[in-house]
mmCIF file of all heavy atoms in Angstrom:
data_model
loop_
_atom_site.group_PDB
_atom_site.id
_atom_site.type_symbol
_atom_site.label_atom_id
_atom_site.label_comp_id
_atom_site.label_asym_id
_atom_site.label_seq_id
_atom_site.Cartn_x
_atom_site.Cartn_y
_atom_site.Cartn_z
ATOM 1 N N SER F 1 0.853 -1.196 0.000
ATOM 2 C CA SER F 1 0.000 0.000 0.000
ATOM 3 C C SER F 1 0.890 1.249 0.000
ATOM 4 O O SER F 1 1.949 1.273 0.623
ATOM 5 C CB SER F 1 -0.933 0.019 1.218
ATOM 6 O OG SER F 1 -0.178 0.119 2.413
ATOM 7 N N LEU F 2 0.429 2.288 -0.729
ATOM 8 C CA LEU F 2 1.159 3.558 -0.846
ATOM 9 C C LEU F 2 0.198 4.703 -0.505
ATOM 10 O O LEU F 2 -0.920 4.769 -1.030
ATOM 11 C CB LEU F 2 1.690 3.737 -2.268
ATOM 12 C CG LEU F 2 2.363 5.065 -2.587
ATOM 13 C CD1 LEU F 2 3.627 5.261 -1.749
ATOM 14 C CD2 LEU F 2 2.691 5.159 -4.073
ATOM 15 N N ASN F 3 0.656 5.599 0.371
ATOM 16 C CA ASN F 3 -0.149 6.761 0.762
ATOM 17 C C ASN F 3 0.706 8.024 0.592
ATOM 18 O O ASN F 3 1.862 8.069 1.054
ATOM 19 C CB ASN F 3 -0.594 6.649 2.224
ATOM 20 C CG ASN F 3 -1.459 5.423 2.477
ATOM 21 O OD1 ASN F 3 -2.636 5.412 2.189
ATOM 22 N ND2 ASN F 3 -0.828 4.375 3.019
ATOM 23 N N VAL F 4 0.133 9.053 -0.054
ATOM 24 C CA VAL F 4 0.844 10.324 -0.275
ATOM 25 C C VAL F 4 -0.111 11.493 0.002
ATOM 26 O O VAL F 4 -1.343 11.315 0.080
ATOM 27 C CB VAL F 4 1.388 10.422 -1.714
ATOM 28 C CG1 VAL F 4 2.378 9.297 -1.989
ATOM 29 C CG2 VAL F 4 0.257 10.408 -2.733
ATOM 30 N N HIS F 5 0.517 12.676 0.104
ATOM 31 C CA HIS F 5 -0.240 13.929 0.282
ATOM 32 C C HIS F 5 0.035 14.798 -0.934
ATOM 33 O O HIS F 5 1.184 15.062 -1.272
ATOM 34 C CB HIS F 5 0.189 14.651 1.577
ATOM 35 C CG HIS F 5 -0.675 15.788 1.966
ATOM 36 N ND1 HIS F 5 -0.531 17.056 1.414
ATOM 37 C CD2 HIS F 5 -1.715 15.863 2.844
ATOM 38 C CE1 HIS F 5 -1.421 17.856 1.948
ATOM 39 N NE2 HIS F 5 -2.156 17.163 2.816
ATOM 40 N N THR F 6 -1.056 15.242 -1.600
ATOM 41 C CA THR F 6 -0.884 16.063 -2.816
ATOM 42 C C THR F 6 -0.441 17.485 -2.456
ATOM 43 O O THR F 6 -0.566 17.922 -1.303
ATOM 44 C CB THR F 6 -2.197 16.096 -3.608
ATOM 45 O OG1 THR F 6 -3.195 16.761 -2.820
ATOM 46 C CG2 THR F 6 -2.645 14.687 -3.980
ATOM 47 N N TRP F 7 0.042 18.188 -3.540
ATOM 48 C CA TRP F 7 0.486 19.578 -3.387
ATOM 49 C C TRP F 7 -0.525 20.471 -4.092
ATOM 50 O O TRP F 7 -1.004 20.155 -5.166
ATOM 51 C CB TRP F 7 1.870 19.735 -4.030
ATOM 52 C CG TRP F 7 2.641 20.925 -3.554
ATOM 53 C CD1 TRP F 7 2.179 22.189 -3.388
ATOM 54 C CD2 TRP F 7 4.006 20.962 -3.196
ATOM 55 N NE1 TRP F 7 3.149 23.035 -2.946
ATOM 56 C CE2 TRP F 7 4.308 22.292 -2.804
ATOM 57 C CE3 TRP F 7 5.039 20.002 -3.133
ATOM 58 C CZ2 TRP F 7 5.577 22.708 -2.393
ATOM 59 C CZ3 TRP F 7 6.300 20.427 -2.725
ATOM 60 C CH2 TRP F 7 6.570 21.733 -2.345
ATOM 61 N N ASN F 8 -0.805 21.662 -3.455
ATOM 62 C CA ASN F 8 -1.775 22.578 -4.050
ATOM 63 C C ASN F 8 -1.340 23.001 -5.444
ATOM 64 O O ASN F 8 -0.170 23.314 -5.679
ATOM 65 C CB ASN F 8 -1.950 23.829 -3.179
ATOM 66 C CG ASN F 8 -2.581 23.491 -1.824
ATOM 67 O OD1 ASN F 8 -3.121 22.411 -1.647
ATOM 68 N ND2 ASN F 8 -2.502 24.435 -0.894
ATOM 69 N N GLN F 9 -2.307 22.998 -6.361
ATOM 70 C CA GLN F 9 -2.117 23.457 -7.731
ATOM 71 C C GLN F 9 -1.110 22.623 -8.524
ATOM 72 O O GLN F 9 -0.646 23.074 -9.574
ATOM 73 C CB GLN F 9 -1.684 24.944 -7.742
ATOM 74 C CG GLN F 9 -2.648 25.906 -7.048
ATOM 75 C CD GLN F 9 -4.011 25.921 -7.701
ATOM 76 O OE1 GLN F 9 -4.156 25.754 -8.920
ATOM 77 N NE2 GLN F 9 -5.039 26.112 -6.893
ATOM 78 N N ARG F 10 -0.812 21.442 -8.025
ATOM 79 C CA ARG F 10 0.135 20.577 -8.738
ATOM 80 C C ARG F 10 -0.473 19.171 -8.912
ATOM 81 O O ARG F 10 -1.274 18.721 -8.091
ATOM 82 C CB ARG F 10 1.467 20.490 -8.015
ATOM 83 C CG ARG F 10 2.240 21.814 -8.049
ATOM 84 C CD ARG F 10 3.650 21.633 -7.578
ATOM 85 N NE ARG F 10 4.377 22.902 -7.647
ATOM 86 C CZ ARG F 10 5.667 23.032 -7.379
ATOM 87 N NH1 ARG F 10 6.363 21.950 -7.023
ATOM 88 N NH2 ARG F 10 6.262 24.218 -7.451
ATOM 89 N N GLU F 11 -0.003 18.536 -9.958
ATOM 90 C CA GLU F 11 -0.468 17.184 -10.272
ATOM 91 C C GLU F 11 0.336 16.167 -9.456
ATOM 92 O O GLU F 11 1.522 16.376 -9.167
ATOM 93 C CB GLU F 11 -0.303 16.929 -11.777
ATOM 94 C CG GLU F 11 -0.953 15.663 -12.280
ATOM 95 C CD GLU F 11 -0.778 15.523 -13.793
ATOM 96 O OE1 GLU F 11 0.284 15.927 -14.295
ATOM 97 O OE2 GLU F 11 -1.692 15.028 -14.451
ATOM 98 N N THR F 12 -0.298 15.051 -9.107
ATOM 99 C CA THR F 12 0.379 13.950 -8.395
ATOM 100 C C THR F 12 0.350 12.729 -9.307
ATOM 101 O O THR F 12 -0.734 12.263 -9.686
ATOM 102 C CB THR F 12 -0.312 13.640 -7.064
ATOM 103 O OG1 THR F 12 -0.336 14.830 -6.253
ATOM 104 C CG2 THR F 12 0.406 12.518 -6.339
ATOM 105 N N TYR F 13 1.553 12.232 -9.622
ATOM 106 C CA TYR F 13 1.644 11.156 -10.632
ATOM 107 C C TYR F 13 2.799 10.217 -10.241
ATOM 108 O O TYR F 13 3.963 10.558 -10.433
ATOM 109 C CB TYR F 13 1.880 11.794 -11.995
ATOM 110 C CG TYR F 13 1.674 10.866 -13.188
ATOM 111 C CD1 TYR F 13 1.789 11.379 -14.479
ATOM 112 C CD2 TYR F 13 1.378 9.526 -13.039
ATOM 113 C CE1 TYR F 13 1.609 10.571 -15.598
ATOM 114 C CE2 TYR F 13 1.201 8.717 -14.131
ATOM 115 C CZ TYR F 13 1.312 9.236 -15.408
ATOM 116 O OH TYR F 13 1.127 8.432 -16.502
ATOM 117 N N LEU F 14 2.458 9.056 -9.700
ATOM 118 C CA LEU F 14 3.461 8.078 -9.277
ATOM 119 C C LEU F 14 3.073 6.682 -9.788
ATOM 120 O O LEU F 14 1.901 6.415 -10.051
ATOM 121 C CB LEU F 14 3.609 8.034 -7.755
ATOM 122 C CG LEU F 14 4.029 9.317 -7.032
ATOM 123 C CD1 LEU F 14 2.822 10.009 -6.466
ATOM 124 C CD2 LEU F 14 5.041 9.011 -5.929
ATOM 125 N N HIS F 15 4.075 5.800 -9.867
ATOM 126 C CA HIS F 15 3.861 4.393 -10.242
ATOM 127 C C HIS F 15 4.441 3.482 -9.151
ATOM 128 O O HIS F 15 5.523 3.753 -8.610
ATOM 129 C CB HIS F 15 4.559 4.056 -11.564
ATOM 130 C CG HIS F 15 3.859 4.609 -12.773
ATOM 131 N ND1 HIS F 15 4.381 5.616 -13.545
ATOM 132 C CD2 HIS F 15 2.665 4.282 -13.331
ATOM 133 C CE1 HIS F 15 3.569 5.905 -14.532
ATOM 134 N NE2 HIS F 15 2.509 5.100 -14.429
ATOM 135 N N VAL F 16 3.730 2.380 -8.853
ATOM 136 C CA VAL F 16 4.298 1.284 -8.063
ATOM 137 C C VAL F 16 4.902 0.309 -9.048
ATOM 138 O O VAL F 16 4.202 -0.189 -9.943
ATOM 139 C CB VAL F 16 3.240 0.614 -7.172
ATOM 140 C CG1 VAL F 16 3.862 -0.563 -6.409
ATOM 141 C CG2 VAL F 16 2.626 1.616 -6.212
ATOM 142 N N MET F 17 6.193 0.011 -8.902
ATOM 143 C CA MET F 17 6.953 -0.770 -9.879
ATOM 144 C C MET F 17 7.227 -2.190 -9.358
ATOM 145 O O MET F 17 7.531 -2.372 -8.158
ATOM 146 C CB MET F 17 8.274 -0.072 -10.191
ATOM 147 C CG MET F 17 8.155 1.382 -10.586
ATOM 148 S SD MET F 17 7.392 1.595 -12.207
ATOM 149 C CE MET F 17 8.656 0.869 -13.262
ATOM 150 N N HIS F 18 7.108 -3.148 -10.255
ATOM 151 C CA HIS F 18 7.538 -4.536 -9.987
ATOM 152 C C HIS F 18 8.724 -4.802 -10.898
ATOM 153 O O HIS F 18 8.539 -4.960 -12.104
ATOM 154 C CB HIS F 18 6.397 -5.514 -10.246
ATOM 155 C CG HIS F 18 6.786 -6.946 -10.033
ATOM 156 N ND1 HIS F 18 6.052 -7.991 -10.548
ATOM 157 C CD2 HIS F 18 7.826 -7.522 -9.362
ATOM 158 C CE1 HIS F 18 6.610 -9.138 -10.214
ATOM 159 N NE2 HIS F 18 7.702 -8.879 -9.493
ATOM 160 N N ASN F 19 9.906 -4.835 -10.310
ATOM 161 C CA ASN F 19 11.167 -4.842 -11.069
ATOM 162 C C ASN F 19 11.179 -3.575 -11.950
ATOM 163 O O ASN F 19 11.157 -2.479 -11.421
ATOM 164 C CB ASN F 19 11.311 -6.134 -11.868
ATOM 165 C CG ASN F 19 11.433 -7.358 -10.951
ATOM 166 O OD1 ASN F 19 11.987 -7.263 -9.855
ATOM 167 N ND2 ASN F 19 10.927 -8.495 -11.391
ATOM 168 N N GLU F 20 11.184 -3.687 -13.264
ATOM 169 C CA GLU F 20 11.175 -2.505 -14.135
ATOM 170 C C GLU F 20 9.837 -2.334 -14.840
ATOM 171 O O GLU F 20 9.730 -1.611 -15.823
ATOM 172 C CB GLU F 20 12.303 -2.628 -15.185
ATOM 173 C CG GLU F 20 13.691 -2.728 -14.591
ATOM 174 C CD GLU F 20 14.044 -1.540 -13.700
ATOM 175 O OE1 GLU F 20 13.651 -0.394 -14.065
ATOM 176 O OE2 GLU F 20 14.682 -1.728 -12.660
ATOM 177 N N ARG F 21 8.798 -2.949 -14.305
ATOM 178 C CA ARG F 21 7.479 -2.892 -14.932
ATOM 179 C C ARG F 21 6.537 -2.059 -14.087
ATOM 180 O O ARG F 21 6.468 -2.219 -12.862
ATOM 181 C CB ARG F 21 6.929 -4.317 -15.106
ATOM 182 C CG ARG F 21 5.546 -4.402 -15.709
ATOM 183 C CD ARG F 21 5.195 -5.861 -15.987
ATOM 184 N NE ARG F 21 5.132 -6.637 -14.758
ATOM 185 C CZ ARG F 21 4.017 -6.809 -14.043
ATOM 186 N NH1 ARG F 21 2.890 -6.236 -14.448
ATOM 187 N NH2 ARG F 21 4.051 -7.545 -12.958
ATOM 188 N N GLU F 22 5.797 -1.163 -14.734
ATOM 189 C CA GLU F 22 4.794 -0.353 -14.052
ATOM 190 C C GLU F 22 3.580 -1.213 -13.760
ATOM 191 O O GLU F 22 2.982 -1.799 -14.660
ATOM 192 C CB GLU F 22 4.397 0.846 -14.924
ATOM 193 C CG GLU F 22 5.559 1.756 -15.268
ATOM 194 C CD GLU F 22 5.168 2.759 -16.339
ATOM 195 O OE1 GLU F 22 4.014 2.668 -16.843
ATOM 196 O OE2 GLU F 22 6.001 3.617 -16.679
ATOM 197 N N VAL F 23 3.185 -1.299 -12.506
ATOM 198 C CA VAL F 23 2.070 -2.173 -12.115
ATOM 199 C C VAL F 23 0.799 -1.346 -11.910
ATOM 200 O O VAL F 23 -0.217 -1.605 -12.557
ATOM 201 C CB VAL F 23 2.416 -2.981 -10.855
ATOM 202 C CG1 VAL F 23 1.268 -3.920 -10.491
ATOM 203 C CG2 VAL F 23 3.696 -3.756 -11.041
ATOM 204 N N VAL F 24 0.837 -0.364 -11.024
ATOM 205 C CA VAL F 24 -0.338 0.485 -10.763
ATOM 206 C C VAL F 24 0.121 1.942 -10.702
ATOM 207 O O VAL F 24 1.305 2.253 -10.512
ATOM 208 C CB VAL F 24 -1.059 0.111 -9.449
ATOM 209 C CG1 VAL F 24 -1.672 -1.273 -9.546
ATOM 210 C CG2 VAL F 24 -0.114 0.214 -8.267
ATOM 211 N N ILE F 25 -0.834 2.857 -10.841
ATOM 212 C CA ILE F 25 -0.567 4.291 -10.807
ATOM 213 C C ILE F 25 -1.320 4.926 -9.639
ATOM 214 O O ILE F 25 -2.424 4.489 -9.291
ATOM 215 C CB ILE F 25 -0.982 4.950 -12.135
ATOM 216 C CG1 ILE F 25 -0.566 6.432 -12.156
ATOM 217 C CG2 ILE F 25 -2.469 4.791 -12.385
ATOM 218 C CD1 ILE F 25 -0.828 7.092 -13.489
ATOM 219 N N LEU F 26 -0.709 5.912 -9.040
ATOM 220 C CA LEU F 26 -1.378 6.757 -8.051
ATOM 221 C C LEU F 26 -1.424 8.158 -8.646
ATOM 222 O O LEU F 26 -0.377 8.775 -8.909
ATOM 223 C CB LEU F 26 -0.628 6.756 -6.720
ATOM 224 C CG LEU F 26 -1.324 7.438 -5.534
ATOM 225 C CD1 LEU F 26 -0.878 6.804 -4.221
ATOM 226 C CD2 LEU F 26 -1.038 8.942 -5.500
ATOM 227 N N TYR F 27 -2.647 8.672 -8.825
ATOM 228 C CA TYR F 27 -2.783 9.934 -9.559
ATOM 229 C C TYR F 27 -3.810 10.832 -8.864
ATOM 230 O O TYR F 27 -4.822 10.333 -8.350
ATOM 231 C CB TYR F 27 -3.226 9.669 -10.991
ATOM 232 C CG TYR F 27 -3.410 10.912 -11.808
ATOM 233 C CD1 TYR F 27 -2.321 11.591 -12.339
ATOM 234 C CD2 TYR F 27 -4.698 11.409 -12.051
ATOM 235 C CE1 TYR F 27 -2.495 12.739 -13.101
ATOM 236 C CE2 TYR F 27 -4.881 12.552 -12.811
ATOM 237 C CZ TYR F 27 -3.773 13.212 -13.329
ATOM 238 O OH TYR F 27 -3.956 14.366 -14.073
ATOM 239 N N ALA F 28 -3.507 12.144 -8.898
ATOM 240 C CA ALA F 28 -4.454 13.161 -8.416
ATOM 241 C C ALA F 28 -4.298 14.407 -9.292
ATOM 242 O O ALA F 28 -3.182 14.848 -9.592
ATOM 243 C CB ALA F 28 -4.195 13.492 -6.961
ATOM 244 N N GLN F 29 -5.410 15.003 -9.725
ATOM 245 C CA GLN F 29 -5.392 16.208 -10.559
ATOM 246 C C GLN F 29 -5.029 17.441 -9.712
ATOM 247 O O GLN F 29 -5.211 17.455 -8.487
ATOM 248 C CB GLN F 29 -6.756 16.405 -11.204
ATOM 249 C CG GLN F 29 -7.125 15.345 -12.226
ATOM 250 C CD GLN F 29 -8.479 15.591 -12.838
ATOM 251 O OE1 GLN F 29 -9.274 16.394 -12.305
ATOM 252 N NE2 GLN F 29 -8.761 14.935 -13.954
ATOM 253 N N PRO F 30 -4.539 18.477 -10.390
ATOM 254 C CA PRO F 30 -4.265 19.732 -9.657
ATOM 255 C C PRO F 30 -5.538 20.283 -9.011
ATOM 256 O O PRO F 30 -6.630 20.217 -9.583
ATOM 257 C CB PRO F 30 -3.747 20.671 -10.742
ATOM 258 C CG PRO F 30 -3.260 19.777 -11.814
ATOM 259 C CD PRO F 30 -4.158 18.581 -11.800
ATOM 260 N N SER F 31 -5.378 20.817 -7.817
ATOM 261 C CA SER F 31 -6.531 21.329 -7.080
ATOM 262 C C SER F 31 -6.082 22.440 -6.149
ATOM 263 O O SER F 31 -4.893 22.550 -5.800
ATOM 264 C CB SER F 31 -7.186 20.200 -6.291
ATOM 265 O OG SER F 31 -8.230 20.686 -5.486
ATOM 266 N N ASP F 32 -7.070 23.281 -5.747
ATOM 267 C CA ASP F 32 -6.756 24.346 -4.797
ATOM 268 C C ASP F 32 -6.496 23.792 -3.413
ATOM 269 O O ASP F 32 -5.881 24.475 -2.573
ATOM 270 C CB ASP F 32 -7.909 25.359 -4.750
ATOM 271 C CG ASP F 32 -8.093 26.097 -6.073
ATOM 272 O OD1 ASP F 32 -7.107 26.153 -6.847
ATOM 273 O OD2 ASP F 32 -9.219 26.541 -6.339
ATOM 274 N N ARG F 33 -6.962 22.598 -3.181
ATOM 275 C CA ARG F 33 -6.770 22.002 -1.862
ATOM 276 C C ARG F 33 -5.901 20.750 -1.981
ATOM 277 O O ARG F 33 -6.014 20.005 -2.961
ATOM 278 C CB ARG F 33 -8.106 21.621 -1.245
ATOM 279 C CG ARG F 33 -9.016 22.818 -0.914
ATOM 280 C CD ARG F 33 -10.276 22.341 -0.225
ATOM 281 N NE ARG F 33 -10.991 21.343 -1.016
ATOM 282 C CZ ARG F 33 -12.014 20.619 -0.552
ATOM 283 N NH1 ARG F 33 -12.419 20.778 0.691
ATOM 284 N NH2 ARG F 33 -12.614 19.755 -1.336
ATOM 285 N N SER F 34 -5.068 20.524 -1.012
ATOM 286 C CA SER F 34 -4.269 19.299 -0.966
ATOM 287 C C SER F 34 -5.077 18.204 -0.268
ATOM 288 O O SER F 34 -5.819 18.475 0.676
ATOM 289 C CB SER F 34 -2.953 19.551 -0.228
ATOM 290 O OG SER F 34 -3.214 19.971 1.093
ATOM 291 N N ILE F 35 -4.912 16.953 -0.747
ATOM 292 C CA ILE F 35 -5.654 15.816 -0.192
ATOM 293 C C ILE F 35 -4.706 14.626 0.002
ATOM 294 O O ILE F 35 -3.584 14.587 -0.548
ATOM 295 C CB ILE F 35 -6.809 15.394 -1.127
ATOM 296 C CG1 ILE F 35 -6.269 15.009 -2.512
ATOM 297 C CG2 ILE F 35 -7.855 16.502 -1.200
ATOM 298 C CD1 ILE F 35 -7.310 14.436 -3.441
ATOM 299 N N MET F 36 -5.176 13.650 0.782
ATOM 300 C CA MET F 36 -4.454 12.385 0.928
ATOM 301 C C MET F 36 -4.942 11.426 -0.158
ATOM 302 O O MET F 36 -6.136 11.285 -0.389
ATOM 303 C CB MET F 36 -4.696 11.763 2.297
ATOM 304 C CG MET F 36 -4.093 12.562 3.454
ATOM 305 S SD MET F 36 -2.301 12.636 3.407
ATOM 306 C CE MET F 36 -1.868 10.926 3.553
ATOM 307 N N GLN F 37 -3.991 10.785 -0.847
ATOM 308 C CA GLN F 37 -4.303 9.855 -1.934
ATOM 309 C C GLN F 37 -3.600 8.525 -1.641
ATOM 310 O O GLN F 37 -2.463 8.515 -1.126
ATOM 311 C CB GLN F 37 -3.840 10.433 -3.272
ATOM 312 C CG GLN F 37 -4.409 9.780 -4.477
ATOM 313 C CD GLN F 37 -5.846 10.228 -4.767
ATOM 314 O OE1 GLN F 37 -6.460 10.942 -3.974
ATOM 315 N NE2 GLN F 37 -6.389 9.808 -5.897
ATOM 316 N N SER F 38 -4.261 7.408 -1.937
ATOM 317 C CA SER F 38 -3.675 6.097 -1.611
ATOM 318 C C SER F 38 -3.900 5.111 -2.755
ATOM 319 O O SER F 38 -4.781 5.296 -3.589
ATOM 320 C CB SER F 38 -4.266 5.545 -0.312
ATOM 321 O OG SER F 38 -5.642 5.273 -0.476
ATOM 322 N N GLN F 39 -3.089 4.069 -2.751
ATOM 323 C CA GLN F 39 -3.177 2.970 -3.717
ATOM 324 C C GLN F 39 -2.685 1.693 -3.033
ATOM 325 O O GLN F 39 -1.768 1.727 -2.198
ATOM 326 C CB GLN F 39 -2.324 3.265 -4.950
ATOM 327 C CG GLN F 39 -2.346 2.206 -6.030
ATOM 328 C CD GLN F 39 -3.710 2.047 -6.672
ATOM 329 O OE1 GLN F 39 -4.575 1.393 -6.109
ATOM 330 N NE2 GLN F 39 -3.905 2.671 -7.840
ATOM 331 N N SER F 40 -3.328 0.556 -3.348
ATOM 332 C CA SER F 40 -2.927 -0.726 -2.744
ATOM 333 C C SER F 40 -3.044 -1.822 -3.790
ATOM 334 O O SER F 40 -3.811 -1.712 -4.758
ATOM 335 C CB SER F 40 -3.795 -1.049 -1.522
ATOM 336 O OG SER F 40 -5.153 -1.156 -1.901
ATOM 337 N N LEU F 41 -2.309 -2.914 -3.582
ATOM 338 C CA LEU F 41 -2.299 -4.034 -4.530
ATOM 339 C C LEU F 41 -1.672 -5.261 -3.881
ATOM 340 O O LEU F 41 -1.032 -5.152 -2.812
ATOM 341 C CB LEU F 41 -1.524 -3.673 -5.794
ATOM 342 C CG LEU F 41 0.010 -3.580 -5.672
ATOM 343 C CD1 LEU F 41 0.645 -3.743 -7.037
ATOM 344 C CD2 LEU F 41 0.438 -2.279 -5.032
ATOM 345 N N MET F 42 -1.837 -6.418 -4.555
ATOM 346 C CA MET F 42 -1.152 -7.655 -4.159
ATOM 347 C C MET F 42 -0.345 -8.158 -5.337
ATOM 348 O O MET F 42 -0.790 -8.084 -6.489
ATOM 349 C CB MET F 42 -2.152 -8.736 -3.717
ATOM 350 C CG MET F 42 -2.783 -8.470 -2.366
ATOM 351 S SD MET F 42 -3.634 -9.918 -1.684
ATOM 352 C CE MET F 42 -4.874 -10.216 -2.930
ATOM 353 N N LEU F 43 0.843 -8.708 -5.046
ATOM 354 C CA LEU F 43 1.739 -9.224 -6.084
ATOM 355 C C LEU F 43 2.269 -10.585 -5.665
ATOM 356 O O LEU F 43 2.500 -10.832 -4.463
ATOM 357 C CB LEU F 43 2.919 -8.268 -6.311
ATOM 358 C CG LEU F 43 2.615 -6.915 -6.947
ATOM 359 C CD1 LEU F 43 3.880 -6.052 -6.950
ATOM 360 C CD2 LEU F 43 2.106 -7.093 -8.368
ATOM 361 N N GLN F 44 2.466 -11.452 -6.667
ATOM 362 C CA GLN F 44 3.152 -12.717 -6.424
ATOM 363 C C GLN F 44 4.605 -12.550 -6.829
ATOM 364 O O GLN F 44 4.906 -12.310 -8.006
ATOM 365 C CB GLN F 44 2.509 -13.860 -7.209
ATOM 366 C CG GLN F 44 3.158 -15.215 -6.923
ATOM 367 C CD GLN F 44 2.361 -16.373 -7.510
ATOM 368 O OE1 GLN F 44 1.228 -16.179 -7.963
ATOM 369 N NE2 GLN F 44 2.940 -17.556 -7.494
#
């Protein structure tokens, strides 16, 4: 699981990587307010 805090007026764009492969994305659009954003997954 990944949890982040966004920045005001800025985009939030991250990837959870398995070796060199992008598995899931954590994304938040620019906003006047900052928010908490999370992503979770299971891997073998």
Side-chain angles (χ1 to χ4, degrees):
S1 64
L2 175 64
N3 299 280
V4 299
H5 190 278
T6 65
W7 200 315
N8 294 345
Q9 303 299 327
R10 291 191 179 185
E11 190 178 35
T12 302
Y13 194 176
L14 300 98
H15 285 111
V16 178
M17 308 290 293
H18 178 198
N19 295 328
E20 300 302 322
R21 178 173 63 91
E22 301 169 356
V23 182
V24 294
I25 186 174
L26 188 152
Y27 179 78
Q29 293 180 345
S31 175
D32 295 337
R33 294 184 304 169
S34 60
I35 59 173
M36 293 295 298
Q37 196 78 353
S38 65
Q39 181 65 280
S40 61
L41 72 159
M42 287 194 299
L43 291 174
Q44 183 170 350

